[in-house]
Amino acid sequence: MNHDNSRELYDRALSVLPGGVNSAVRAAVEPYPFFVQKGDNGHVIDADGNRYVDWVMGLGPLLLGHNLPEPVQAGIQQKASEGPMYGTPTEVEVDLAEFVVRHVPSVEKIRFVNSGTEATTSAVRLARGYTGRNKIVVNQGGYHGAQESTLVEGDAENPKPSSAGIPQSFAEHTIPVPFNDEEAVRDVFEKHGDDVAAVLTEPILGNYGIVHPEDGYHEFLREITEEHGSLLVFDEVITGFRVGGLGCAQSEFDVTPDLTTFGKIIGGGFPVGAIGGRAEIIEQFAPSGPVFQAGTFSGHPVTMAAGLETLQFAAENDVYAHVDGLGDRLRDGLEDIVADQAPEYTVAGTASMFKVIFTRDGEAPTNAADVKNAETDRWRRIFWGQMKDRGIYLSQNQFECQFVSYGHTDEDVERTLEAYKEAL
Ligand SMILES: *Cc1c(COP(=O)(O)O)cnc(C)c1O
């Protein structure tokens, strides 16, 4: 495989972009990432003309793959050709809001923003504004975007910023606990119960391997937050409209959060975020309430059209049956290969999410520490390149999720399983 054009582009990029990229994780590929020229259904073609089966799918937003079906294309192009945006409302944002309210059980009202990060930032501010409390409980290894309140590591006793540029005094309002650890949450509520504004959690950890909740974990979070007058916030930026179909992961787990953050799929491949939930809480946002929230691009007509047409297409076609079916075939095939060739590894995922985690003991991870202890260097430095050389594009490291799209085929699955067989 020739990568001359990608190397030259990266060389140019290093002169003008920090680390040569616009989002940190993209530089995880060494010695340099390949630059994409274009997509084609479930494939991407790089700057040197190499074709790959693409299981990254934009890191989550592309439910339908790279070739958007005709009504989705048409919706986007019409909005773009009428003029990009106005600074005053348009019908399509009401249409998308109504669609989400109709399908997601916990959402009575919704505010659209421009990224998942903006959604969680606003949700945290809203939870604090609504409850009049300061503290946010998060999960170690959970990811809620690049924002001050959640870029925190350590534990409940000793939270510290996980990035330079965040004051320690900010981090002190965030309490990280291990995923699936009810005892740790109980301890936090015993100590800080009357100052916990919210528990903010991903229904399934999707940015740190894939870690599934144990039975009853989310029900437990629902009960303990209710008991203490705190909010339960589900960050469904990855799982929203992917796990549990149009009802999102909360419908699959049958747990009703107070607030839900969305992103990724809800914008059909364009920059988006949203905060949905109980009307009484969402109405605390300005202008109906005292929690300030605003954005020049929020509810952008092109994004709203892309999101609405994508979700409508999914409602009217066999999208979830297709992606979940291929997800099952991938996971079943991978289970067989792993059992045969690397029994210490773990196949994780559900619906259209999948990942082989290079665990050392064959035990499915229950929290971030388990994933961290897996063979991260082997995944990234050896395995990723082996797959890429076989024309299979996987996420950049052991931690990012992989996604099936409507553009993928049985043949893509077969080729991918063959490649795993050779590379593992
Ligand atoms: C991707 C992601 C975010 C951040 O969204 P951006 O659009 O990248 O800002 C937040 N939470 C979760 C669960 C995510 O997967």
Side-chain angles (χ1 to χ4, degrees), residues 375-390:
E375 296 184 310
T376 301
D377 283 341
R378 185 184 306 279
W379 205 108
R380 187 169 71 86
R381 290 176 177 274
I382 309 278
F383 172 70
W384 188 91
Q386 297 263 311
M387 293 296 281
K388 189 216 65 182
D389 290 346
R390 289 170 172 80

Side-chain angles (χ1 to χ4, degrees), residues 59 114-118 120 143-146 202 206-207 235-238 261 263-264 272:
L59 287 166
N114 304 292
S115 69
T117 296
E118 209 183 323
T120 64
Y143 182 65
H144 306 290
E202 293 175 74
N207 291 279
D235 182 353
E236 294 228 39
V237 171
I238 275 194
T261 51
K264 300 196 170 124
V272 80

